[in-house]
Structures are given as structure tokens and as C-alpha cells.
Amino acid sequence: MLRAIPIVCLLWLVLNSSCNNSSQPAAVKQNKDINIAPIVPDSVMKHLDFINGLTQLKLPYPNAYELKEIKDYSHYLGTDTFLRVTAGRFATINGFTPVIYACEINDHEKRTFLVVYNDNGAEKSRLQIAANMSGEREETDEEAVTAVKDTTSTEFTNQWFYIGLDSLIEVRARHSTYVQGSQKVNTSLRFYKIGRKGTIKEVPRDKESFEQYADRFPEQKLPATLDTVSTKELKPVSRLTPYYDFKEERQDPLYALGRLNIAGRATALLYARDTIYLDEGLNYPEVKLITYKKGKEVDRIVVYGGTLGEHSETIYRKCMVDKDASINLQEEDTRELDSSFRFKTVYNMQYEVLPSGKIIGRQATSIVHSSKLYNEKACIKYFKSKRGNHHYASLFHIRAKDNILVGLHAFSKNGENFLEFLTVNKDNKIIDRYTMYNNLKKQKLNDVKAKQMEDREDDYNERRGRLTCEAIIKLTGKELHITPGGKFVK
């Protein structure tokens, strides 16, 4: 009775197993509907891991920043050996991934490449987009027997790029050659795009006529005034146009501000920018006036905005273009003497557009110079703190028959002080002098007076027109006038 139980259980297991076997074909049939992913080759997986490990870059993108160093590059970049390689990638579009490699070849050569890969890791196209190379080469003249000629040349090649929001790739190049003190420079600017098939192709320039191009600029009637800039409703200028040279320009958007038809002279186009970024973080909006004859650029001038140097600044404002082809413009030069004092010179200039389209300086209708330094206590305190006894400062220039520099000379020794303004010609010979302060006791005046301008700065602007009135230096409580010939009006 007790042994019958296991036998029954065994029969139940056998029956249950046969039932399961009878339903197995249905289960197999159901598995046929499941999609199984294809096997991905190891090489493709390694490529995907490599791509996903790179820093993803965003547009707009300038000149190889934010790249990270990579070690395993030979399989994807080539078998060349580099001292250092940094790389980054852009987003994959249409199955193609652009990768930037910045490669240090040696101490004198660096190259940057844009390489496009497909999803399988195959390279579709490649373009060199940046470089920095320098070196010397010596050319020998086999026929030169009696004399040895120095033909050693030094060459520098700089290439840099910018990729805009529209994915347009700008590649600029500057090649400089120096031979026996002379310099030859070639510059270029080319544009490229990545096509639908992953190939990098050069983009041709626009082929429209100059008349079609100029019609995009709103016409302005003469006389036309300009003292502010707003680009909100203006049309951007295509960087592919042949009528504007972008080779020396930054990538800030450029807008078509206005068109001036100067009868019998030229067509003048006004170009505007919202912001110009400068080294010290300052910025200016800017307007350039460019003249054209028969669709060719002739000349250009900044009529609104500014430029910044290491210790100087020039601001352009209050432009008015008149029917007589004159351009009236206020130009304000500011130069730092140090962190405490500045020299400011305001020129009211009048330029002229010639029948050839060239822009020349006609006259300076006024020149006014000023500084907080120009009082006796400030001058004595400032120059007394300097090393040495004699100190000089170039102030501003007057365009006349002789190019005239107006300068300042100070003498300070043992509590004796002497200050004078000078005017000197292009040969640095003194035209005239004006004594601002004289506290000499033991020192003789003839021994202290300047014989010429020392530490002279030659930043003369040849384009500015001749002075046709008296220049003015603003002093405490009075004005010091200077004639166009460089004489102080006593």
C-alpha cells in the first residue's frame, strides 16, 4: 500500500512531461517573430567607443578650443607619429560625424585636420583647416663665383578656421616670407561645406552683379548723418560675396546699413556691426564707409565706432556725408600717460571722396587737446616722481607743409621745476616753444630747455587733412592756441 504512492507519482510526471512536449512547436513558432539585432563587427564597436569618448563641440566654433588629448589615434587619423594630438567631435548628421584633430608634429610645425567618418568608421573626407609652421631655407646660386649673396629666407605659415552656426567652414591663411629684411605676405580666405555624402567641398563665391548686391542696401539721401547704430531690421551681408573682403575681418555678423550715390564720384556702401570684441574686453559698434567704382572697391574709412591699442584709443562719431562729396567726422584720440593721466585730442575732420573713389583728408576744421595733468600742481607732482631730470611726452600731430608734432617737456631737480610745450618738424627741429611753468633758481634756462623732442612717438596719421585754423590746448583757466605753422599764439 505504501509502495503504490511513488508509482502513481511517477506516472503523473511522465504524463505531465508529454503534455509539455506537445506544446513546444507552438513556442518555437512564436520565437520566429522576435527581431534579433545583427552582429556588429568589433572594428565598428571600437570606432563608436572612440567617437563617443571625444568631447562634443558646439557651433559656432572657433579655431581648435576645448579639445582633449587622445593617445590611440593612429587607426583613425593615420600612421603618422605626432608629439601630441587633441581631438573633439561635432554632432552626427545624416550618418556622418566630423572630428577635429589638432596635431603637434614638432616644435616648428602644427596642423589641424577636419575628418568626416561614416557610421562604420570609414573616413569619407579630410581637410587641413589650421596650421602654424616656421622655418628657414637657403637658396644657393651655383653661377655665383666671385661674390657670396645672402639668400637665406625665413617663412611663416599661419592658417586658422571658424565654423559658423550655418556650418560654413571658413579657412584663412597667411604666408609670410622674409628675405634680406624685406617681407612678402600672401593671404587667402576659402569657404567649405560638408555635403550630404560626407565629402568636404569648397563653396563658390556669389555670382550676382554689383547692382543686385548694392540694391540690398537701403538708399539714403545726401546729406546723410550717422551717430548711432541699430542692426535689428538690417539684412546680413553674405560672407560669400565678392564685393567685400573678409580676409582681415573677424567673424562678427556684418549688415547692410545704407547706400549713398555720390554723383559723378562713386557709390558708397555703409556696413554695420553690432559689436567688435577687443583684447581688453571692450567693444564698439562699428560702421565702415566703402567706395566702389564699376563694382570694384576703391577705398574705405571707419565713420562710427573705435579702435583700441595697448595704451591708446580712437573713437569715431558724428559723421555727416554732404552733397559736395565731403565726409565730416569727429575723431577722438585718447592716449594713456600712465594709470593716473590721459591725453585727449578731438579732431573735427573733413574728408573728400575724389572722382576716382579714393578718400583723402581735406582739412581739420578744429583740433582741441586737453588733459587733467595740465595744471601746475599736477604737473610738478607727476614729473617729480619720475626718475631722471628730463621727461618728454608726444601729444598730437598737426598736418601742415611740414608734419608738426606737439610735445611736452618737463625738467625737475632738487625742487626746481620747468615745464614747456614744444612744436617740432619732421626733422625733429624745434619750431616754437611755450613755457607753462618756470621755477628755476640755480639752474640756467638755456641749459634746461629742450634741444629737441626725446622719446618721440611717430604715430602720425597721413590721412588727416591739413589744419585750417588754430589748434587749441586747454589749460587751467585759459586756452593756448597754435597756428597751422606750429607757432604758439602768445
Side-chain angles (χ1 to χ4, degrees):
M1 184 75 179
L2 292 173
R3 292 178 180 177
I5 293 173
I7 295 172
V8 172
C9 290
L10 179 62
L11 290 172
W12 181 84
L13 289 171
V14 171
L15 290 172
N16 187 55
S17 175
S18 63
C19 291
N20 288 338
N21 288 338
S22 63
S23 63
Q24 187 68 21
V28 171
K29 185 176 181 181
Q30 189 175 7
N31 284 342
K32 289 182 180 180
D33 295 331
I34 298 175
N35 294 323
I36 300 176
I39 297 175
V40 179
D42 291 341
S43 61
V44 176
M45 289 300 298
K46 289 181 179 179
H47 169 74
L48 293 176
D49 291 341
F50 171 75
I51 291 294
N52 292 330
L54 297 175
T55 302
Q56 182 157 339
L57 309 173
K58 297 180 180 180
L59 298 178
Y61 183 74
N63 216 30
Y65 297 114
E66 301 176 355
L67 304 181
K68 292 184 178 180
E69 185 173 2
I70 58 173
K71 300 295 185 182
D72 184 18
Y73 59 81
S74 59
H75 182 72
Y76 309 103
L77 186 56
T79 56
D80 294 334
T81 302
F82 303 103
L83 295 179
R84 186 171 181 263
V85 176
T86 56
R89 71 179 182 92
F90 294 101
T92 301
I93 299 177
N94 298 327
F96 298 101
T97 305
V99 176
I100 286 181
Y101 297 94
C103 308
E104 294 184 17
I105 300 172
N106 53 50
D107 293 339
H108 306 286
E109 185 174 358
K110 299 177 182 178
R111 296 177 185 268
T112 301
F113 302 95
L114 176 65
V115 183
V116 181
Y117 299 98
N118 64 14
D119 285 341
N120 294 325
E123 180 180 322
K124 296 297 294 181
S125 57
R126 174 185 299 219
L127 176 69
Q128 178 178 300
I129 55 176
N132 192 334
M133 297 175 286
S134 63
E136 291 186 355
R137 61 188 180 96
E138 184 172 346
E139 300 174 359
T140 59
D141 186 356
E142 296 179 355
E143 297 181 358
V145 179
T146 59
V148 177
K149 185 179 180 181
D150 181 13
T151 56
T152 301
S153 66
T154 304
E155 296 185 6
F156 298 91
T157 298
N158 292 293
Q159 192 179 33
W160 62 101
F161 71 96
Y162 177 85
I163 305 176
L165 285 170
D166 57 357
S167 299
L168 187 66
I169 305 163
E170 302 181 20
V171 179
R172 301 166 186 263
R174 180 183 179 89
H175 183 77
S176 305
T177 304
Y178 298 84
V179 181
Q180 296 179 327
S182 64
Q183 179 185 10
K184 183 179 181 181
V185 179
N186 292 318
T187 60
S188 65
L189 171 61
R190 298 180 182 276
F191 299 90
Y192 299 88
K193 275 273 194 180
I194 300 175
R196 292 185 175 275
K197 296 183 179 181
T199 56
I200 304 172
K201 294 183 178 181
E202 185 173 354
V203 181
R205 299 299 179 97
D206 296 338
K207 295 182 179 180
E208 64 183 346
S209 68
F210 177 75
E211 289 72 21
Q212 292 173 316
Y213 171 75
D215 281 344
R216 296 197 182 95
F217 291 71
E219 184 177 5
Q220 297 184 16
K221 301 295 184 181
L222 298 179
T225 59
L226 176 69
D227 197 28
T228 186
V229 176
S230 177
T231 61
K232 292 181 179 179
E233 298 180 359
L234 300 180
K235 296 178 181 178
V237 176
S238 170
R239 301 187 73 81
L240 297 174
T241 180
Y243 303 112
Y244 189 93
D245 188 359
F246 285 94
K247 283 189 290 189
E248 302 296 332
E249 297 281 340
R250 293 175 179 265
Q251 284 78 23
D252 306 87
L254 189 67
Y255 298 92
L257 177 61
R259 181 178 79 254
L260 305 173
N261 294 315
I262 304 174
R265 308 259 172 152
T267 297
L269 299 182
L270 297 171
Y271 296 83
R273 273 196 171 94
D274 272 329
T275 303
I276 297 294
Y277 294 98
L278 302 169
D279 294 337
E280 298 183 13
L282 301 176
N283 61 79
Y284 302 100
E286 183 184 78
V287 176
K288 285 181 181 175
L289 183 149
I290 299 183
T291 55
Y292 294 85
K293 292 284 286 187
K294 298 180 180 179
K296 301 290 184 182
E297 177 181 333
V298 179
D299 211 346
R300 60 172 62 191
I301 185 173
V302 176
V303 294
Y304 185 83
T307 58
L308 183 70
E310 187 175 354
H311 299 289
S312 63
E313 180 182 33
T314 299
I315 296 175
Y316 307 93
R317 57 165 69 99
K318 297 182 180 179
C319 173
M320 194 269 284
V321 184
D322 213 336
K323 294 180 179 180
D324 63 354
S326 64
I327 302 172
N328 299 277
L329 186 64
Q330 186 182 99
E331 303 177 14
E332 181 181 301
D333 288 348
T334 302
R335 294 178 52 250
E336 285 188 0
L337 188 61
D338 62 12
S339 58
S340 302
F341 295 105
R342 293 181 177 184
F343 297 137
K344 183 172 74 172
T345 309
V346 179
Y347 297 82
N348 280 315
M349 293 302 309
Q350 190 175 83
Y351 297 93
E352 180 181 359
V353 180
L354 298 179
S356 65
K358 187 173 179 59
I359 302 170
I360 64 165
R362 179 188 287 174
Q363 61 179 339
T365 57
S366 71
I367 300 177
V368 179
H369 177 82
S370 62
S371 174
K372 291 182 179 179
L373 184 68
Y374 295 154
N375 65 76
E376 291 178 3
K377 289 183 179 180
C379 277
I380 292 171
K381 182 179 179 181
Y382 175 79
F383 288 110
K384 187 177 180 180
S385 65
K386 301 299 177 183
R387 292 182 180 179
N389 304 129
H390 291 272
H391 304 280
Y392 298 83
S394 298
L395 303 180
F396 62 96
H397 288 84
I398 296 172
R399 183 174 178 180
K401 184 177 181 181
D402 285 332
N403 299 333
I404 299 170
L405 169 67
V406 181
L408 177 66
H409 166 241
F411 173 84
S412 178
K413 183 178 180 180
N414 299 328
E416 296 185 57
N417 301 286
F418 175 76
L419 297 160
E420 62 179 341
F421 289 103
L422 305 172
T423 55
V424 298
N425 64 16
K426 61 182 179 181
D427 297 321
N428 206 14
K429 292 182 178 180
I430 294 176
I431 301 171
D432 201 2
R433 66 178 80 230
Y434 175 84
T435 300
M436 179 178 171
Y437 184 78
N438 183 356
N439 187 25
L440 298 176
K441 296 176 182 178
K442 296 181 179 181
Q443 301 290 333
K444 293 182 179 180
L445 181 61
N446 288 334
D447 294 337
V448 170
K449 290 194 302 184
K451 306 302 184 290
Q452 62 178 13
M453 271 294 296
E454 303 288 344
D455 303 322
R456 173 175 174 157
E457 295 185 17
D458 291 319
D459 56 355
Y460 182 74
N461 187 337
E462 288 286 353
R463 195 171 201 174
R464 284 179 171 156
R466 292 174 182 267
L467 180 64
T468 56
C469 60
E470 294 179 350
I472 298 173
I473 299 178
K474 287 195 172 182
L475 303 176
T476 303
K478 66 175 182 178
E479 294 180 347
L480 176 61
H481 289 238
I482 308 172
T483 68
K487 294 289 185 177
F488 291 100
V489 180
K490 306 297 195 289

